[in-house]
Amino acid sequence: MSTIDDQTTADVPQTPEDENGHPKHDPAPAADSNAPVMLSFIIGIVISLIIGWAVFPKLLYSQKTQPVNFNHAMHMDPEISAEGCASCHYFREDGSFSGIPKLASCAECHEDVLGESEEEARFVEEYVKTGKEVPWLVYARQPDCVFFSHIAHVKMGNMECKTCHGDIGVSTQTRVYEENRITGYSRDIWGKNIAGFKKNTWDRMKMDDCAECHKANNVNQGSVQTLRGGCFVCHK
Amino acid sequence: MKLDRRCFLALSIGGAAGTALTPLPWKLTDDLSIWSQNWPWTPVPDKGAITYTHSVCDLCPGGCGITVKKAGDRVIRVEGIEDYPVNQGGVCILGIAGPQLLYSPTRVQKPLKRIGNRGEGRWEPISWQDALAMVIDKLKTLRAADKSHSVAGVFGRDRGTVAQLFQRLLTVYGSPNFFSTPSYLDNYEMTLYLMHGMRASVGVDAKNADFILSFGSGMIQGWGSSVYMFKANSLLKSTGRVVQVEPRLSVSAAKADEWVAVKPGTEGALALGLAHVIINENLHNSDFVVNYSTGFETFKQLVLGKYAPETVAGITDVPAEKIVALARAFARARKPLAICGRGQGLTPGHLSDYIAVHALNALVGNINRQGGVIAIPEADDIDWPEATMDAIAVAGMQKGRIDGAGSSRYPHSRSLLNQLPEVLNTGKGDSIETLFVADVNPLYTMPDAEATRAALAQIPFIVSFASFMDETAQMADLILPNHMYLERLEDVPSPAAYPANIIGLSRPAIGPLFDTRHTGDVIIALAHALGGNIAAAFPWQDYPTCLRETLGDKWNELNRKGYWQGPEVAAPLGFGTFDTASSKFEFSNPDLNAALESQPALPQGDATTYPHLLLPYDTMRIASGPIGSPPFLVKSVDETVLQGNDVLVEVNPKTAAALQLADGKPAKLKTPKGEAKVRVHITEGVAPDVVALPRGLGHTAYDDFLAGKGVNYNALVGMTEDPVSGLDATWGIRAKLSKA
Ligand code: SF4
């Protein structure tokens, strides 16, 4: 291989040409000079793979802890929460979903410290006594351009909470909340797996995951507005 | 190994190839699109529980029933209540924008004491306790010095418990100087007083009329109770006829069945011209005239003698045939209704116009009955026991009002705020030592802004109850901010010109966002602190108690339904409801005749220096009262009205041609009172030499969406008193428009 630079140096012998006037390649020296290039190429690949698969996800998400370390498992005791998840995450009379309970719901039981846990004592002290709402970090919060109705899925579609949220009821403490530094939403939406692979229905909450289920069950595939391609079902 | 350029290139290509095998590019693309579709700085409403509060809008005298929708603790929407009698589900654009006012950056968030010069905008927060102590100290000092009458209050209205509480406070303190904002309703009140012999407010049963003859009243520009009038106007589209008499092609005129372009300021003469035809052709309702009225002969002589169609045509520029045809159409309608008060009626206008127009209603007998004009006797909702007055209070009250209302000069008037600047600036009357202002912004809304500014400068101590930092609040020495209407409990008196007595209840949709206090509570607290007879006149521990006790048996209904409606006035009363000496409707009496003969010197300015005529106009899209337009309104204003910071004045093509002004080009507008830079909008909707300017712009206060946009009409116009009522009769001013 010759370069213009090579040709500018007078004492470098000219690359011999074949009978057609094309430069003639001498295989031996080429192998010598290609080795570092190949190596560089491979190093490039390796470094980028490391960055892409390991470093980037670390950089992309910041790690946050919930303001209160909440124990779902303990609260799921039927004596405490007779109606299971719905004891705290209930539907309001108008059908809208309450989501994460407001302080007032917590305070119905925790007006004073009930148990031995230090965390509970801190919660009562810092929040219940001062009336300050707990700034919970919501793992499942969707971007604001998404319209989602819980009642349509849970009551009309008879779906279980865990289909989307996983078996959160058995957790004894809150997970680290990984916040996407660009979008501000939780890592749970894209899924823990940076490549987007999932094993369980609750591993990801992207549009494709919604669509997958809608297609499989043939529900709301067309919106009233377009009659096909259900964009407006969720993007009002 | 030597790393040459080839290696580097290979490294990069390897890097790129490797990156393509990682999720990085796809993930980044996805994140960036999510980010750009949901800009994090775009405000998003709370996701909390949706709740609704039934209340009454108090942003204008419209009195619409509203539902305030909240998500969590955030007010997100205002809607009309379907079965509220006044607005039946409708709300106007200002009503919709209520939440923007609630969260406006111009809210006064805590009591403030001025530390800089007036208008400089330097304030110091002060505790409620200290602020009230300051006021109490001032009031005690003035009273001890026998100057109780030098304390005055300017309120948005004179009805309703809060205004009445303040008036009561002034009375037992010893000052007659309570002012309310003057408007067309004052003229109507006086007209009813002179013709029906009773203190009553006007009710216009527009929905049941079948022919509305409007003398410049903006039926769809905010006259009366805006939403009610909108609905009536739409109804008349199918069931009747609307004729708009107005010099300018307003939206009301454009949507009417007929627009009668009249020479500015001659509407009253046209009404008398119509009366001439009706009487002359015997088209009047003889049952009413014969059985329920007196003074008809005198009135007849006046109109037959002076207002023949040809004469009136000369005065009004309306052809004589048109006058005759209009009079016939009006008189032959089943329920003909004539109304007046220009635009939104912000300037009261000439009393004789109202008398002439109301005489038309009387001629066709459409008074105190369905589809007509109804005199609604002053409500006796507020029936507090007579307060015991001490010697200082009696002496103070005997001094008489500083504006001359109720004196021999203006015997029928009750409050003449428009006279105040002149009295203070010329030093002809008493001085005002302390002024309270609530729900008003006189520095912006009163004519002759310069004179008003000078008058305010004469007052050593101004206390404002403003919820927003408006122009007048900026001039105050102390601001005791009231809750804004979505945060407070208060009775809302009958809507403007609504044909029934209806009290609405404004209820807090949300707790106070800031350290504000209900003005009702502040008044009661002041009274209690002043002690003696004054405290005794306020036997309530707080305002809610006062409200509940005052409304007595109405309270339950009011609380349950959100409104209380008085008995139907019109139907059962029929014609026989006049409280004059003759117990009949009076077409003429000495006061009426004097009013009809009177002519205020209008318009101001000489025709040589000022060859044009400046007229204001009102639009629903710009709030022109004490409340400044929230951004939602400003953004709705057409670009033929506002471009950037420039207001466009309407100019006839002929005038524009004479001045060599092209559409959209800048111009200079000068009046005897001031001058301004404007742009021109060329339209056939105004007569040659007329220049029309919208009201409600040119604020110096409020937020960036409003401040500095356009020109304040009130800064360009003067006040000309009506010789009989003393109210402001102005409808425009001479002006000179020239190329900038
Ligand atoms: S008309 Fe007046 S009272 Fe009715 S919604 Fe509009 S601002 Fe409020």
Side-chain angles (χ1 to χ4, degrees):
Chain A
M1 244 169 92
S2 73
T3 64
I4 293 170
D5 277 356
D6 297 339
Q7 287 162 4
T8 56
T9 318
D11 53 356
V12 171
Q14 289 285 310
T15 310
E17 293 176 356
D18 59 17
E19 55 279 13
N20 295 325
H22 293 300
K24 230 187 189 171
H25 290 275
D26 185 354
D32 276 355
S33 61
N34 274 351
V37 173
M38 273 315 285
L39 193 63
S40 303
F41 181 73
I42 290 165
I43 292 174
I45 290 190
V46 172
I47 292 179
S48 61
L49 287 178
I50 295 173
I51 292 178
W53 288 97
V55 182
F56 167 66
K58 284 245 154 39
L59 287 178
L60 183 62
Y61 295 106
S62 66
Q63 312 264 315
K64 290 189 170 170
T65 39
Q66 292 282 4
V68 177
N69 189 4
F70 185 81
N71 185 337
H72 269 98
M74 194 185 71
H75 285 86
M76 284 298 276
D77 180 340
E79 277 193 24
I80 299 176
S81 305
E83 292 169 47
C85 305
S87 307
C88 298
H89 309 285
Y90 55 88
F91 287 101
R92 302 192 189 98
E93 258 178 43
D94 64 357
S96 63
F97 184 60
S98 63
I100 293 187
K102 291 267 181 204
L103 185 67
S105 310
C106 307
E108 280 172 19
C109 300
H110 293 272
E111 205 177 338
D112 288 304
V113 182
L114 294 174
E116 309 282 294
S117 125
E118 269 177 38
E119 190 65 356
E120 190 215 350
R122 186 178 68 84
F123 164 71
V124 172
E125 197 57 38
E126 270 182 36
Y127 297 100
V128 182
K129 299 283 184 221
T130 61
K132 199 178 101 193
E133 285 292 341
V134 186
W136 295 109
L137 301 161
V138 188
Y139 302 104
R141 168 143 306 147
Q142 288 286 338
D144 289 310
C145 56
V146 182
F147 172 86
F148 180 85
S149 161
H150 272 93
I151 205 158
H153 293 84
V154 179
K155 290 272 163 83
M156 290 157 72
N158 280 325
M159 284 172 71
E160 277 189 88
C161 305
K162 78 172 190 191
T163 311
C164 301
H165 295 286
D167 218 349
I168 198 151
V170 301
S171 68
T172 53
Q173 48 185 324
T174 52
R175 284 187 284 130
V176 170
Y177 176 90
E178 293 184 79
E179 187 182 278
N180 187 312
R181 290 185 206 267
I182 298 173
T183 65
Y185 294 100
S186 156
R187 182 170 187 165
D188 287 34
I189 307 301
W190 176 269
K192 186 78 187 161
N193 186 306
I194 196 72
F197 294 122
K198 66 171 185 181
K199 286 200 236 71
N200 306 303
T201 45
W202 55 81
D203 285 348
R204 281 173 38 129
M205 294 181 117
K206 291 288 289 176
M207 187 173 85
D208 288 346
D209 304 289
C210 304
E212 185 182 296
C213 192
H214 275 229
K215 269 192 207 138
N217 294 295
N218 196 23
V219 283
N220 276 340
Q221 301 234 48
S223 52
V224 185
Q225 289 86 347
T226 57
L227 296 177
R228 61 190 184 78
C231 306
F232 288 100
V233 175
C234 309
H235 302 290
K236 303 276 178 191
Chain B
M1 187 181 91
K2 216 175 110 222
L3 250 187
D4 58 10
R5 211 160 32 85
R6 289 194 296 165
C7 295
F8 181 73
L9 266 177
L11 186 76
S12 313
I13 294 167
T19 306
L21 296 174
T22 72
L24 189 144
W26 330 115
K27 178 73 176 125
L28 268 186
T29 312
D30 189 75
D31 284 348
L32 287 174
S33 63
I34 293 178
W35 177 66
S36 63
Q37 284 163 21
N38 301 275
W39 299 120
W41 52 84
T42 310
V44 174
D46 264 12
K47 291 223 158 50
I50 301 289
T51 48
Y52 299 88
T53 310
H54 276 6
S55 186
V56 171
C57 179
D58 207 359
L59 289 175
C60 89
C64 299
I66 53 168
T67 302
V68 185
K69 182 176 177 183
K70 275 198 309 182
D73 284 331
R74 180 103 188 167
V75 171
I76 54 171
R77 195 180 170 125
V78 167
E79 287 162 350
I81 300 177
E82 278 310 320
D83 56 2
Y84 199 85
V86 179
N87 54 317
Q88 297 185 330
V91 262
C92 80
I93 185 168
L94 177 61
I96 293 174
Q100 283 191 337
L101 290 168
L102 172 66
Y103 298 111
S104 167
T106 62
R107 291 278 311 266
V108 182
Q109 305 192 353
K110 45 178 150 325
L112 296 175
K113 187 178 140 192
R114 180 169 61 81
I115 48 172
N117 288 329
R118 278 194 172 159
E120 204 188 327
R122 288 176 53 219
W123 303 92
E124 186 178 81
I126 178 173
S127 71
W128 274 101
Q129 200 184 358
D130 293 352
L132 292 181
M134 235 175 114
V135 178
I136 291 156
D137 186 49
K138 201 56 139 196
L139 292 177
K140 282 188 173 162
T141 314
L142 287 172
R143 202 162 199 266
D146 273 342
K147 286 176 141 186
S148 65
H149 62 288
S150 72
V151 175
V154 182
F155 274 57
R157 55 183 174 229
D158 57 1
R159 296 177 302 160
T161 45
V162 174
Q164 287 294 314
L165 277 174
F166 196 80
Q167 197 164 5
R168 185 174 176 88
L169 175 65
L170 280 184
T171 309
V172 283
Y173 175 83
S175 169
N177 289 313
F178 178 90
F179 298 86
S180 59
T181 311
S183 76
Y184 67 120
L185 295 172
D186 296 66
N187 262 334
Y188 259 120
E189 189 194 299
M190 203 173 300
T191 303
L192 295 178
Y193 183 64
L194 295 177
M195 299 179 107
H196 294 222
M198 62 205 282
R199 289 287 181 189
S201 46
V202 71
V204 169
D205 193 4
K207 275 193 180 163
N208 291 308
D210 67 347
F211 188 118
I212 294 194
L213 178 56
S214 153
F215 289 86
S217 306
M219 276 187 76
I220 53 170
Q221 288 160 272
W223 186 94
S225 174
S226 317
V227 180
Y228 171 78
M229 290 307 288
F230 259 81
K231 299 222 160 189
N233 191 66
S234 313
L235 205 65
L236 278 166
K237 282 264 156 298
S238 50
T239 58
R241 212 173 146 66
V242 178
V243 176
Q244 182 78 4
V245 175
E246 195 175 354
R248 171 182 172 266
L249 181 63
S250 63
V251 270
S252 303
K255 298 263 175 174
D257 295 284
E258 188 182 347
W259 169 41
V260 179
V262 66
K263 196 163 148 195
T266 64
E267 292 89 339
L270 181 65
L272 292 173
L274 298 175
H276 175 107
V277 179
I278 292 172
I279 296 175
N280 199 29
E281 299 190 3
N282 231 339
L283 297 171
H284 55 271
N285 180 325
S286 53
D287 175 36
F288 181 85
V289 169
V290 173
N291 298 319
Y292 298 96
S293 81
T294 62
F296 178 69
E297 280 308 316
T298 318
F299 180 73
K300 180 175 167 180
Q301 273 164 25
L302 171 82
V303 294
L304 291 190
K306 280 196 184 167
Y307 294 94
E310 295 70 29
T311 320
V312 173
I315 303 172
T316 61
D317 283 353
V318 178
E321 317 79 71
K322 167 80 89 200
I323 298 173
V324 173
L326 188 56
R328 287 177 185 158
F330 181 75
R332 284 178 185 150
R334 214 167 36 83
K335 300 272 171 134
L337 178 59
I339 57 174
C340 62
R342 296 182 180 86
Q344 293 182 353
L346 294 170
T347 309
H350 192 189
L351 176 63
S352 74
D353 291 354
Y354 290 73
I355 294 172
V357 170
H358 196 50
L360 280 180
N361 290 314
L363 283 177
V364 293
N366 203 9
I367 281 181
N368 287 349
R369 61 171 190 164
Q370 232 195 15
V373 174
I374 297 156
I376 299 167
E378 231 162 45
D380 53 0
D381 312 322
I382 298 177
D383 193 16
W384 295 324
E386 192 91 11
T388 321
M389 314 264 287
D390 61 14
I392 302 179
V394 173
M397 289 301 285
Q398 276 169 353
K399 293 248 167 58
R401 290 179 62 94
I402 182 171
D403 58 359
S407 68
S408 54
R409 175 125 191 245
Y410 313 111
H412 311 306
S413 305
R414 292 165 142 191
S415 155
L416 294 168
L417 183 61
N418 53 308
Q419 300 281 355
L420 202 54
E422 166 141 0
V423 174
L424 293 178
N425 291 337
T426 54
K428 275 195 293 201
D430 289 320
S431 61
I432 290 186
E433 297 296 324
T434 292
L435 179 74
F436 292 86
V437 280
D439 291 331
V440 287
N441 183 9
L443 193 49
Y444 177 82
T445 56
M446 281 177 67
D448 205 342
E450 266 322 299
T452 312
R453 183 177 294 277
L456 288 182
Q458 316 266 337
I459 303 172
F461 191 53
I462 301 177
V463 182
S464 165
F465 293 109
S467 298
F468 304 94
M469 190 55 92
D470 58 34
E471 282 84 353
T472 311
Q474 285 177 340
M475 291 285 281
D477 298 273
L478 189 66
I479 309 183
L480 307 176
N482 193 2
H483 304 327
M484 66 91 72
Y485 76 110
L486 294 174
E487 300 167 324
R488 70 182 184 227
L489 179 76
E490 193 169 325
D491 56 322
V492 178
S494 230
Y498 187 71
N501 183 19
I502 178 166
I503 306 172
L505 185 64
S506 178
R507 275 186 281 219
I510 188 166
L513 296 181
F514 306 113
D515 185 17
T516 54
R517 268 196 206 175
H518 199 300
T519 300
D521 275 322
V522 174
I523 296 169
I524 293 175
L526 288 176
H528 288 176
L530 288 167
N533 283 344
I534 304 178
F538 293 78
W540 314 279
Q541 68 192 52
D542 55 17
Y543 176 72
T545 316
C546 163
L547 183 65
R548 259 196 320 274
E549 288 179 9
T550 305
L551 292 165
D553 40 0
K554 295 189 192 99
W555 172 257
N556 282 342
E557 189 176 338
L558 198 55
N559 199 22
R560 183 167 44 81
K561 284 206 301 195
Y563 66 91
W564 173 89
Q565 183 152 9
E568 284 270 326
V569 190
L573 290 179
F575 291 145
T577 48
F578 305 110
D579 209 12
T580 49
S582 56
S583 292
K584 288 182 172 179
F585 178 91
E586 297 193 345
F587 274 105
S588 112
N589 60 41
D591 286 335
L592 274 177
N593 302 345
L596 276 178
E597 299 284 328
S598 73
Q599 277 312 324
L602 281 168
Q604 284 184 1
D606 78 278
T608 344
T609 327
Y610 299 103
H612 307 119
L613 201 50
L614 173 66
L615 300 182
Y617 70 89
D618 295 321
T619 152
M620 290 300 288
R621 300 206 191 161
I622 308 174
S624 42
I627 298 272
S629 301
F632 186 55
L633 265 71
V634 182
K635 292 290 161 198
S636 78
V637 175
D638 212 87
E639 64 170 10
T640 55
V641 175
L642 188 65
Q643 283 174 15
N645 278 349
D646 295 338
V647 64
L648 285 86
V649 290
E650 294 181 349
V651 177
N652 185 279
K654 284 196 186 125
T655 315
L659 296 171
Q660 295 178 325
L661 279 168
D663 200 47
K665 286 283 172 274
K668 200 170 83 182
L669 181 63
K670 194 168 181 327
T671 72
K673 290 291 169 186
E675 71 177 69
K677 280 208 196 107
V678 294
R679 285 176 188 276
V680 294
H681 169 54
I682 300 177
T683 166
E684 298 271 3
V686 289
D689 294 335
V690 168
V691 178
L693 178 74
R695 285 192 214 242
L697 294 171
H699 274 280
T700 51
Y702 289 102
D703 52 20
D704 291 347
F705 293 95
L706 185 59
K709 286 205 188 309
V711 174
N712 180 9
Y713 165 75
N714 295 315
L716 296 174
V717 74
M719 196 281 289
T720 308
E721 70 159 32
D722 181 281
V724 175
S725 70
L727 290 162
D728 185 7
T730 314
W731 42 260
I733 189 164
R734 293 216 153 271
K736 182 179 168 67
L737 187 72
S738 53
K739 230 172 165 170

